[in-house]
Amino acid sequence: MNVPAAEVTEHANRRAGGRLGRKALRGTPIASFPTLVRKIPVYQMVPDEAVELIHQESLSILEEVGCEFRDDEAIAMWKAAGADVSDTRVRIDRALLMELVSKVPSEFTLNARNPQRSVRVGGDNSIFVPMYGAPYVRDLDNVRRYGTLADLQNFHKLAYMAPALHSSSSIICEPMEIPVPKRHLHIIHSALKHSDKPFMGIVTSRDRAEDTMAMAGIVFGEDYVRDNPVLVAITNCNSPLVWDATMLDAMKVYARHNQPLILAPFALCGASTSASAVGAVAQVNAEALAGVAFTQLLRPGSPQIYGQFMVTVDMKTGAPMGGTPEAAQMMYLMGALARKYRLPWRTSGFHVGSKLNDAQAGYEANMLMHAAILAGANYIWHSAGWLEAGLTCGYSKFATDCEQLVGWYKYAGGLPFDDFKEAMAAIREVGPQGHFLGTQHTLEHFESAFFMPSIMDFNSYEQWKAEGAKDHDTRGREKARNMLADYEEPKLDEGIADGLEDLIALREEKLPDSVS
Amino acid sequence: MNVPAAEVTEHANRRAGGRLGRKALRGTPIASFPTLVRKIPVYQMVPDEAVELIHQESLSILEEVGCEFRDDEAIAMWKAAGADVSDTRVRIDRALLMELVSKVPSEFTLNARNPQRSVRVGGDNSIFVPMYGAPYVRDLDNVRRYGTLADLQNFHKLAYMAPALHSSSSIICEPMEIPVPKRHLHIIHSALKHSDKPFMGIVTSRDRAEDTMAMAGIVFGEDYVRDNPVLVAITNCNSPLVWDATMLDAMKVYARHNQPLILAPFALCGASTSASAVGAVAQVNAEALAGVAFTQLLRPGSPQIYGQFMVTVDMKTGAPMGGTPEAAQMMYLMGALARKYRLPWRTSGFHVGSKLNDAQAGYEANMLMHAAILAGANYIWHSAGWLEAGLTCGYSKFATDCEQLVGWYKYAGGLPFDDFKEAMAAIREVGPQGHFLGTQHTLEHFESAFFMPSIMDFNSYEQWKAEGAKDHDTRGREKARNMLADYEEPKLDEGIADGLEDLIALREEKLPDSVS
């Protein structure tokens, strides 16, 4: 990994016809919703004083216990900033912490290669982002197996086609057949090629992060991506209270490019936090704030996303759970803290522990999505495909989630009152014991009034039986298959497409086939 | 149906040893949660002005269009009360309407035959009640077939055993093999015999309502049930704007006994209401208020439950749907109206359109339960078993819902802060990169901190596979089977048990085997 990314980019840019800039892309127009602007109030589960109490406890943890930053450069930067540093332990006083956190913009634009797919993150805006990181897929034949590049491409295609998804994520599943050192190139390539929505960066090493930026530079322009957010990258704090070298390396690359990171502790509540929902939130908040603050040492004013991944663990087996009541409750607390700090906030929507797209998955998924929406989450991740605590991405689950998101998009858009007068006139017209199917109001509104999912089946039992008595999981797989059959690629300009391929070829020449 | 219920009751009471009174029952102690007292704030989706606007429109409908009351006695009562009556159409001015509505108590106690199972309805109290009215069951072998008395008994047993269920309902499924004229006797008998929780009355005719009261009188004492709520009975307005004779007959019997009715329009939104969520709510509110007001003509000050059953219909097929976004949104509006009127409020929790206990069922169920809880519903009906828009009660769904309710009970109980100090001490004790499994705080709290469902499976994939790779539906059936194997009847006093059987025998002698 010794080829500087900049050199490769330069070569690729030349081949693609000079500085490429950001271009509107050709390709088939496909329905895609703009940023969801929430029109419903947020729900706060506890009073402001309780939020303040948690906040103060979080700051005390960072002052008294501190947080590990396992990287020399990071430690030097914290020292220079005036933190109390001892070896890799950084104790941050509350004034310094909050001063740094306050530099983060409360909203920003996340740019897509198709400007019509660019979205706003923060404030009243919410976006839905598919899952990330599954080594396994549950495939179109309902077999659980390792993910492949073909699977990943399929999920990027589905993400492109799902109107309520605002991002293509990146590693929706791992293309396990590609050697690890080269894998990131093909992941980013697939996301950029098969969809025109925002995507997510690679964080597993500094070089891979730089390769991501190089590829983004080919698509958006090298200058453009020095300052304009075109991707989001996830960095997880290792709870309790450790930011490790790999994460810090990724932060350096992305934050210095003004690319937003998600600063999200990965907390198995009860194991890597105390067995207290409120205690877990206080700890995770401290961890997230420490990460957010560090990004502002790297690039003050850079857009960042405060976040959390918090699941409770089964205290008998240690297994992570998914859509449990406490996970929802903790979301409301995190959302309240994010609002207090005026930070864009990421949580997870449809993440579940279920192995299958079955009843468990459904109960878990909507336990959490309802909370994510009402808590006012901005970056609602893991909103499609997630099964088995993230180990598996399911085609059926992906299609199901995409459809459900359309309903949630409508839900968060609020209750329309604009046709209320006409609706009341319809009641006067119909009177007792009539029906409304023929009224003018109904004829004008029947398509838009109510969400009508297609994978869910509301037909009569007899009709459903005549159609094969299929369960939801089966119908979800059929839907995914049908969507893929209809896919048309939103093609990259030829020069850009060639530039990306050249860069990959150049990088692959230098990269080993296995991790040494 | 010519035998006066009072006569039968008198005979049965003699056989049972005179006036029986209300007795604490013997039987196996089994875990049962008290009334859920919500410790989290309600969520209001629209501002107060919007609630007021809907309220005013509802009142205008009742003044201008009016509501049908298809019963001579009811019409006479409305005339006497000063309403504008023309044939069966009753136009109620807002002052009269609100005066009657204001007589309803905002809270009441619903008494169980075991006083420890008595619950509060209204205010910050919530209770979970299993489903009602399914002709079909999806049985322990996953076969859909007509319900039987044995099934109904099983569901009453499960309701008794489910700690978070606060009622046994009554017609959880229809015992289809019993002739309709006699069926109600066996339904109520099963509910009273197999469970010691509150139950629900029969509403399909005046005689059957009186039989219900007679049976309740045997268990609780004839005098007792003239004034003390021991059951809840459902009356549905036929939307739009018709209260029919059958419903009015049931109202007369129960309200005059001071037994609470649910006044709940059954609305297929888009067909029996306008294609507008807000318009549907304004109409349903008018219908429910008209029903509530009528009960106060029957018995001023009697406890009543304002309610709704509202599902949207698929506008292409007319099929009722279940857990859709608009159904949840409408709940928030109905909840806000109920609070405005200070009325106990019923909505539905886990009601779904799905044929199976599959992913569809799960997504639908938690879409609605989350809203029911946050909207502050008091009588959360259809909280166990419901499938297929209510046509089917599923054993697996029943067991699943019962377990999920434990989680929702915990959720609505709020976030405990009482151990926050100890939890923060644990973080200081553990520090970075430790784990919390051995801390004193964890040892003290690991069983209570987090909800740990047993039907849901969070084991490793390998473990799950080794145990048969069962889906949630299969595990739910196993759970139901295991619960039934453990059931022990909370026996009625011998005199009461005999009294009920005598009453049934006496009534059956006089009742035909088919509806003439």
Side-chain angles (χ1 to χ4, degrees):
Chain A
M1 305 197 195
N2 298 316
V3 187
E7 182 192 310
V8 179
T9 310
E10 198 186 329
H11 174 93
N13 273 349
R14 269 201 304 276
R15 157 81 188 265
R19 195 191 166 286
L20 296 169
R22 187 170 165 235
K23 301 213 181 177
L25 269 289
R26 294 185 306 247
T28 316
I30 189 160
S32 184
F33 300 163
T35 306
L36 166 59
V37 182
R38 278 175 282 109
K39 296 272 172 43
I40 56 175
V42 292
Y43 177 71
Q44 191 166 317
M45 187 166 272
V46 298
D48 285 343
E49 305 83 73
V51 178
E52 180 65 23
L53 177 67
I54 295 169
H55 161 70
Q56 294 296 343
E57 287 293 335
S58 299
L59 300 198
S60 296
I61 294 172
L62 288 179
E63 286 178 342
E64 296 168 30
V65 182
C67 187
E68 291 281 308
F69 283 81
R70 297 189 170 161
D71 172 82
D72 291 344
E73 189 183 358
I75 286 296
M77 290 171 74
W78 274 120
K79 261 188 199 155
D84 170 10
V85 175
S86 159
D87 196 11
T88 52
R89 185 77 63 97
V90 179
R91 292 180 176 80
I92 314 165
D93 78 49
R94 54 194 68 206
L96 172 61
L97 182 82
M98 294 317 295
E99 187 204 327
L100 290 169
V101 168
S102 71
K103 293 183 196 293
V104 178
S106 59
E107 287 189 25
F108 65 90
T109 296
L110 177 60
N111 298 284
R113 72 168 167 97
N114 175 353
Q116 292 183 309
R117 306 285 181 267
S118 295
V119 289
R120 290 288 287 175
V121 180
D124 290 336
N125 306 294
S126 292
I127 63 169
F128 295 119
V129 182
M131 76 165 290
Y132 184 99
Y136 299 97
V137 298
R138 186 162 282 277
D139 71 13
L140 289 164
D141 299 315
N142 202 21
V143 175
R144 181 186 185 267
R145 55 167 175 75
Y146 275 135
T148 65
L149 183 59
D151 291 311
L152 179 63
Q153 290 168 344
N154 280 340
F155 288 124
H156 286 147
K157 292 173 184 176
L158 292 172
Y160 168 67
M161 297 178 82
L165 278 179
H166 295 98
S167 164
S168 312
S169 181
S170 59
I171 321 171
I172 297 180
C173 70
E174 293 273 359
M176 297 289 277
E177 79 275 32
I178 303 178
V180 167
K182 300 176 176 177
R183 196 179 284 172
H184 64 289
L185 300 165
H186 297 276
I187 292 168
I188 298 301
H189 185 224
S190 175
L192 288 168
K193 173 179 162 71
H194 297 104
S195 176
D196 60 1
K197 298 180 179 179
F199 68 107
M200 296 188 70
I202 301 291
V203 295
T204 47
S205 78
R206 181 191 291 239
D207 288 341
R208 293 176 197 156
E210 284 177 349
D211 283 346
T212 303
M213 286 314 306
M215 294 175 81
I218 291 173
V219 173
F220 291 87
E222 205 182 333
D223 288 345
Y224 189 85
V225 302
R226 284 202 192 101
D227 295 311
N228 297 288
V230 300
L231 59 80
V232 170
I234 173 67
T235 51
N236 286 132
C237 180
N238 291 333
S239 294
L241 296 164
V242 177
W243 284 101
D244 70 22
T246 305
M247 294 290 99
L248 294 168
D249 272 349
M251 283 190 208
K252 289 180 207 167
V253 175
Y254 290 118
R256 284 171 172 154
H257 275 88
N258 215 37
Q259 303 301 316
L261 296 150
I262 298 171
L263 293 309
F266 184 95
L268 300 171
C269 300
S272 69
T273 76
S274 60
S276 155
V278 186
V281 168
Q283 174 187 323
V284 163
N285 181 45
E287 296 164 341
L289 289 179
V292 169
F294 179 64
T295 63
Q296 301 305 298
L297 297 180
L298 290 166
R299 181 157 174 168
S302 57
Q304 303 298 342
I305 303 174
Y306 167 90
Q308 101 278 10
F309 183 86
M310 300 174 82
V311 292
T312 55
V313 299
D314 183 324
M315 297 299 275
K316 290 189 285 290
T317 65
M321 302 198 274
T324 56
E326 296 83 14
Q329 289 176 316
M330 293 188 292
M331 270 195 214
Y332 289 112
L333 294 182
M334 292 298 291
L337 288 161
R339 280 194 299 284
K340 178 181 174 65
Y341 306 132
R342 299 175 53 82
L343 289 173
W345 169 47
R346 166 260 162 143
T347 188
S348 306
F350 285 143
H351 73 108
V352 305
S354 183
K355 317 290 181 298
L356 303 170
N357 188 23
D358 62 2
Q360 174 175 346
Y363 280 89
E364 290 189 89
N366 261 354
M367 166 64 90
L368 298 181
M369 184 58 83
H370 214 134
I373 292 287
L374 293 187
N378 303 115
Y379 194 92
I380 309 181
W381 201 7
H382 303 324
S383 287
W386 183 282
L387 288 173
E388 209 185 307
L391 287 177
T392 294
C393 183
Y395 279 85
S396 175
K397 179 71 161 40
F398 202 99
T400 298
D401 290 342
C402 288
E403 178 166 278
Q404 287 296 300
L405 290 176
V406 175
W408 284 109
Y409 192 96
K410 188 166 185 303
Y411 178 92
L415 281 152
F417 275 74
D418 52 330
D419 63 332
F420 188 37
K421 268 202 161 59
E422 291 79 1
M424 299 317 291
I427 298 174
R428 288 173 171 80
E429 178 188 337
V430 169
Q433 205 179 2
H435 71 76
F436 290 71
L437 297 175
T439 67
Q440 189 61 29
H441 178 270
T442 301
L443 295 174
E444 282 168 13
H445 293 85
F446 87 96
E447 279 194 0
S448 61
F450 303 126
F451 172 57
M452 285 181 269
S454 68
I455 308 178
M456 287 188 165
D457 186 294
F458 297 103
N459 287 329
S460 69
Y461 177 79
E462 291 69 24
Q463 175 81 15
W464 171 77
K465 203 172 165 192
E467 291 175 5
K470 295 167 190 161
D471 69 3
H472 186 93
D473 189 24
T474 304
R475 298 193 302 268
R477 281 194 299 279
E478 288 178 356
K479 175 75 174 187
R481 204 184 284 275
N482 291 340
M483 284 174 77
L484 289 169
D486 289 341
Y487 172 76
E488 291 183 50
E489 188 177 317
K491 287 205 188 298
L492 288 157
D493 278 355
E494 204 177 315
I496 295 176
D498 292 347
L500 287 171
E501 279 171 20
D502 287 356
L503 181 145
I504 293 168
L506 279 167
R507 293 292 290 129
E508 285 204 318
E509 271 175 34
K510 317 275 177 171
L511 289 168
D513 270 338
S514 64
V515 184
S516 55
Chain B
M1 305 196 193
N2 298 318
V3 187
E7 183 192 308
V8 179
T9 310
E10 198 186 329
H11 175 93
N13 272 350
R14 269 201 304 277
R15 159 82 187 266
R19 194 190 167 290
L20 298 170
R22 183 168 168 238
K23 303 211 177 175
L25 269 289
R26 296 184 307 248
T28 318
I30 187 160
S32 185
F33 300 162
T35 306
L36 166 60
V37 182
R38 279 175 282 112
K39 295 271 172 47
I40 55 175
V42 293
Y43 177 70
Q44 192 168 314
M45 187 168 272
V46 299
D48 285 343
E49 306 84 70
V51 177
E52 181 65 24
L53 177 67
I54 295 170
H55 162 69
Q56 294 296 343
E57 287 293 335
S58 300
L59 300 198
S60 297
I61 294 172
L62 288 179
E63 286 178 341
E64 296 168 31
V65 182
C67 187
E68 292 280 308
F69 282 81
R70 296 187 172 162
D71 173 80
D72 290 345
E73 188 184 0
I75 286 296
M77 291 171 74
W78 274 120
K79 263 189 197 152
D84 171 9
V85 175
S86 158
D87 196 13
T88 51
R89 185 75 63 96
V90 180
R91 292 181 174 80
I92 315 164
D93 78 50
R94 54 193 68 205
L96 173 60
L97 182 83
M98 294 317 294
E99 187 204 328
L100 289 168
V101 168
S102 71
K103 293 183 196 294
V104 178
S106 60
E107 286 189 27
F108 65 91
T109 295
L110 176 60
N111 297 284
R113 71 169 168 97
N114 174 354
Q116 292 183 307
R117 305 284 182 267
S118 296
V119 288
R120 289 289 286 174
V121 180
D124 289 336
N125 305 295
S126 293
I127 62 168
F128 295 118
V129 182
M131 75 162 293
Y132 184 99
Y136 300 97
V137 298
R138 186 163 282 279
D139 72 12
L140 289 163
D141 298 315
N142 202 20
V143 175
R144 181 187 186 264
R145 55 168 174 75
Y146 275 135
T148 66
L149 183 59
D151 291 311
L152 180 63
Q153 291 169 344
N154 280 341
F155 288 124
H156 287 146
K157 292 173 184 175
L158 293 172
Y160 168 67
M161 298 178 80
L165 277 180
H166 296 98
S167 164
S168 312
S169 181
S170 60
I171 322 171
I172 296 179
C173 69
E174 294 273 358
M176 296 290 277
E177 78 277 31
I178 302 177
V180 167
K182 301 175 176 177
R183 195 179 286 171
H184 64 289
L185 300 164
H186 297 278
I187 292 167
I188 299 299
H189 185 224
S190 174
L192 287 168
K193 175 178 160 72
H194 296 104
S195 176
D196 60 1
K197 297 180 180 180
F199 68 108
M200 296 189 70
I202 301 288
V203 295
T204 47
S205 77
R206 182 190 292 238
D207 289 342
R208 293 175 198 157
E210 283 176 350
D211 284 346
T212 303
M213 287 314 307
M215 295 175 80
I218 291 172
V219 174
F220 290 88
E222 207 184 329
D223 289 345
Y224 189 85
V225 302
R226 285 204 191 98
D227 295 311
N228 296 290
V230 300
L231 58 80
V232 170
I234 172 66
T235 50
N236 286 132
C237 181
N238 290 333
S239 294
L241 295 164
V242 177
W243 284 101
D244 71 22
T246 306
M247 294 291 97
L248 294 168
D249 273 349
M251 283 189 205
K252 289 179 206 169
V253 174
Y254 290 117
R256 283 170 174 154
H257 275 88
N258 216 37
Q259 302 302 315
L261 297 150
I262 297 170
L263 293 310
F266 184 94
L268 300 171
C269 299
S272 70
T273 76
S274 60
S276 154
V278 186
V281 167
Q283 175 188 322
V284 163
N285 182 44
E287 295 164 341
L289 289 178
V292 169
F294 179 66
T295 63
Q296 301 305 296
L297 297 179
L298 291 166
R299 181 156 174 169
S302 57
Q304 304 297 343
I305 302 174
Y306 166 90
Q308 100 278 9
F309 182 86
M310 301 175 82
V311 290
T312 54
V313 299
D314 182 324
M315 298 299 275
K316 289 189 285 289
T317 65
M321 302 197 274
T324 55
E326 295 84 14
Q329 288 176 318
M330 293 189 293
M331 271 194 211
Y332 289 111
L333 294 182
M334 292 299 291
L337 288 160
R339 281 194 299 282
K340 176 181 174 66
Y341 307 132
R342 297 176 52 82
L343 290 173
W345 168 48
R346 166 262 162 140
T347 189
S348 305
F350 284 144
H351 73 109
V352 304
S354 183
K355 318 290 181 297
L356 304 170
N357 189 24
D358 62 1
Q360 175 175 347
Y363 279 89
E364 290 190 89
N366 261 355
M367 166 64 90
L368 297 181
M369 184 59 84
H370 215 133
I373 292 288
L374 292 188
N378 304 114
Y379 194 94
I380 308 181
W381 202 6
H382 304 322
S383 286
W386 183 282
L387 288 173
E388 210 185 307
L391 287 177
T392 294
C393 183
Y395 279 85
S396 175
K397 179 71 160 41
F398 202 99
T400 298
D401 289 343
C402 288
E403 178 167 278
Q404 287 297 299
L405 290 176
V406 174
W408 283 108
Y409 192 96
K410 187 166 187 300
Y411 178 91
L415 281 153
F417 275 75
D418 53 330
D419 62 332
F420 188 39
K421 268 202 160 59
E422 291 79 0
M424 298 318 291
I427 297 174
R428 288 173 172 81
E429 180 187 336
V430 170
Q433 205 180 4
H435 72 78
F436 290 72
L437 297 174
T439 67
Q440 190 61 29
H441 178 270
T442 300
L443 294 174
E444 282 168 14
H445 293 86
F446 87 95
E447 280 193 1
S448 62
F450 303 125
F451 172 58
M452 284 181 269
S454 70
I455 307 178
M456 286 184 166
D457 186 293
F458 297 103
N459 287 328
S460 69
Y461 177 80
E462 292 68 24
Q463 176 81 14
W464 171 77
K465 202 172 167 192
E467 290 176 7
K470 294 167 190 162
D471 69 3
H472 187 94
D473 190 23
T474 304
R475 298 192 303 267
R477 282 194 299 279
E478 289 178 355
K479 174 75 174 190
R481 204 185 284 274
N482 290 341
M483 284 174 76
L484 289 169
D486 290 341
Y487 172 77
E488 289 183 51
E489 188 175 317
K491 286 204 187 296
L492 287 157
D493 278 356
E494 203 177 315
I496 293 176
D498 292 346
L500 288 172
E501 278 171 19
D502 287 357
L503 183 144
I504 293 167
L506 277 166
R507 292 293 290 131
E508 285 205 317
E509 270 175 34
K510 316 277 177 173
L511 289 168
D513 270 339
S514 63
V515 183
S516 55

